[in-house]
Amino acid sequence: MPGTLKKISLSSDKNTFFHRRMQSLLPTLLVLVLVLGTLLLVLSRTVAAAPDSSSGDESEPESLATVLPAAHLLSKSLLAGTGVRVDYLPAKRYPVSRIRYWIDKKLSEALPGLPSYRAVVETASIWPEGSVYANLRQRNIAVIPVDMAIQLKPDGARISRAAGDSALDFFWLNPANLKVMVSILSEDFSRIWPEHQPLIHQNQQRALEQIIGFALKLDDMLWQQGWDGVCSDDSALYPMLQSLSLPMLAEDKTDDLDGFRCLWIEEGKKASAEPNLWVVNGLNRFESGSLADWLEVNLNKLQQVQ
């Protein structure tokens, strides 16, 4: 019995020692648990707040989509130096008349590879068939539609077109329309990218000076060459013809122009040696140069007319 009591006493002493040891370590264990919990909480919040690199959107530069060659040329001039990328969506070889086909048949194939555009410039107010806003909205629900033909605000500016004209003509060939579109785009771009507002306004002033200079030189050149009027059988060129200081004398080459010296105007990029023919680059296709380059090319082509 004494041996048994001694064993029980030793066992009890061991339990008491272990219990006391655990009590002394308990504050340290609680501190460790709190520290680990805090670290895990901070780590989880950091991971949740980190950008999803797999999407690629955060690394993309600010970008703008355009559909018409004129929209691309004007947008590129206004956003020069800002770092905003200006993309032309349709196939560059397509003329304006084929853009609707590209939108209907090809855009859906190209859409998965397109970036999440911040904005898109189009002319849905006068050419709804050429709108791609609904498609691009599937990539980025926050994409901003910019209409360069009619300013999207109460009593906003708008381009000038013939009453009841529903066909897509080359309305951008009228210098007055060019100035309106530059102003519309400049104001909208300044609101979309306020950090670039000073540079956009500077680019706007330069573009307006180029357009005004072109219009003045054009009228002076027509007068110096001694034309009695202008002629064309291409109705898409009427916005330009109606903006000139000369009267329109004929719409068909079979018309009787006896006694009149008429400047015939056609659209195209190739030069022509035919007398009395001015082949205008009407931005019917994608143009890689600048606004100033395009305007200068058309003046040079007129200068060469005999």
Side-chain angles (χ1 to χ4, degrees):
M1 290 297 292
T4 303
L5 289 174
K6 186 176 181 180
K7 288 181 180 179
I8 293 174
S9 176
L10 290 173
S11 176
S12 177
D13 290 343
K14 288 180 179 180
N15 289 337
T16 301
F17 174 78
F18 179 77
H19 181 68
R20 289 177 178 175
R21 184 64 175 170
M22 288 300 297
Q23 284 183 329
S24 64
L25 291 175
L26 186 58
T28 303
L29 291 174
L30 288 175
V31 171
L32 288 175
V33 170
L34 289 173
V35 170
L36 288 175
T38 302
L39 289 175
L40 289 174
L41 180 60
V42 171
L43 181 61
S44 64
R45 289 181 176 178
T46 302
V47 172
D52 183 5
S53 59
S54 63
S55 67
D57 291 343
E58 294 296 329
S59 61
E60 291 178 355
E62 287 283 285
S63 55
L64 172 77
T66 62
V67 179
L68 284 172
H72 180 264
L73 196 65
L74 295 179
S75 299
K76 189 171 63 171
S77 295
L78 289 170
L79 293 173
T82 64
V84 178
R85 190 181 72 200
V86 181
D87 289 348
Y88 182 72
L89 299 187
K92 295 178 181 179
R93 68 182 185 277
Y94 281 7
V96 168
S97 60
R98 294 279 289 171
I99 290 178
R100 181 179 178 182
Y101 166 82
W102 183 88
I103 293 173
D104 292 341
K105 304 297 183 181
K106 303 294 183 179
L107 178 56
S108 59
E109 300 174 8
L111 193 62
L114 296 179
S116 299
Y117 289 109
R118 180 74 180 278
V120 55
V121 176
E122 48 191 20
T123 55
S125 57
I126 62 174
W127 189 46
E129 298 88 349
S131 175
V132 296
Y133 167 67
N135 302 84
L136 298 184
R137 191 174 181 269
Q138 303 307 305
R139 293 280 294 144
N140 176 21
I141 198 170
V143 64
I144 302 171
V146 177
D147 195 315
M148 71 175 185
I150 297 178
Q151 198 168 28
L152 300 179
K153 70 176 186 180
D155 300 322
R158 61 180 59 208
I159 64 169
S160 174
R161 299 188 79 209
D165 194 352
S166 58
L168 181 65
D169 55 22
F170 296 166
F171 58 85
W172 50 86
L173 294 184
N174 183 333
N177 283 344
L178 276 178
K179 291 190 292 183
V180 170
M181 290 185 289
V182 164
S183 298
I184 291 174
L185 293 177
S186 176
E187 182 173 329
D188 280 8
F189 290 167
S190 295
R191 296 182 66 187
I192 297 172
W193 293 286
E195 67 274 20
H196 299 308
Q197 181 178 3
L199 183 53
I200 292 172
H201 284 177
Q202 180 180 331
N203 291 337
Q204 176 190 6
Q205 292 305 312
R206 182 182 299 111
L208 290 175
E209 290 172 2
Q210 293 167 352
I211 295 168
I212 293 171
F214 166 79
L216 292 174
K217 291 178 181 179
L218 177 58
D219 280 342
D220 182 66
M221 198 174 294
L222 292 172
W223 180 80
Q224 293 286 349
Q225 292 179 346
W227 302 105
D228 296 316
V230 292
C231 304
S232 181
D233 55 5
D234 187 351
S235 60
L237 293 176
Y238 285 4
M240 179 181 188
L241 302 176
Q242 294 167 354
S243 71
L244 299 176
S245 57
L246 294 177
M248 185 167 179
L249 299 180
E251 300 178 9
D252 193 304
K253 290 190 176 181
T254 62
D255 291 348
D256 183 12
L257 292 172
D258 189 31
F260 292 97
R261 188 166 183 260
C262 190
L263 175 65
W264 283 91
I265 303 178
E266 293 180 0
E267 196 283 325
K269 284 193 173 183
K270 294 183 179 180
S272 174
E274 185 177 343
N276 298 354
L277 178 62
W278 180 25
V279 181
V280 176
N281 178 348
L283 287 181
N284 190 29
R285 287 178 172 82
F286 174 82
E287 186 68 33
S288 60
S290 67
L291 174 63
D293 293 337
W294 170 64
L295 295 173
E296 189 65 26
V297 163
N298 281 327
L299 287 177
N300 290 338
K301 285 187 173 184
L302 177 58
Q303 184 72 49
Q304 298 167 7
V305 176
Q306 303 296 325

